[in-house]
Amino acid sequence: NNSAAAAIMAKRIGSENWHVKMVAMMTLRKMGSKELPPCTGPVVPRLGDHSMEVQRRADEILRRIEPTAMAQHIGTIVLQLDDPDWHTRRAALEALSRIDPAVV
């Protein structure tokens, strides 16, 4: 079941182990967009991960999530705007730009 797999991978992306985190991110990236909304909460903070590869994967996953699903995580996305890394700030801005102001 893809929903169960997505839930497991969402837990794994918070791992301190880079390899575990990357495998989880790559697995989520391959899943259908219908399985991804519940993963939004764990994926958003990965925009600020110390690994640029993890940041990139998080951005790719968030691009596939419906903006309405991301709207409930707007506060976490906004926090990423203060990150010292410009890649993180750019990804957060792009994520915010996909959210329809009408749903916020």
Side-chain angles (χ1 to χ4, degrees), residues 2 7-8 18 22 31 34 38 40 43 45-46 49-50 54 56 64 70 72 81 84 90 94 97 100 102-103:
N2 278 348
I8 292 168
W18 183 85
M22 282 303 293
M31 291 187 168
K34 291 183 180 183
T40 306
V43 171
R46 300 292 63 108
D49 196 273
H50 65 275
V54 172
R56 206 169 303 147
R64 298 184 50 231
M70 291 193 335
Q72 67 185 15
L81 296 174
R90 179 195 49 80
E94 288 179 7
S97 73
D100 183 354
V103 298

Side-chain angles (χ1 to χ4, degrees), residues 15-34:
S15 174
E16 292 297 318
N17 183 306
W18 183 85
H19 294 287
V20 170
K21 196 181 314 188
M22 282 303 293
V23 168
M25 298 292 277
M26 291 187 311
T27 302
L28 286 173
R29 198 176 94 205
K30 293 177 185 177
M31 291 187 168
S33 59
K34 291 183 180 183

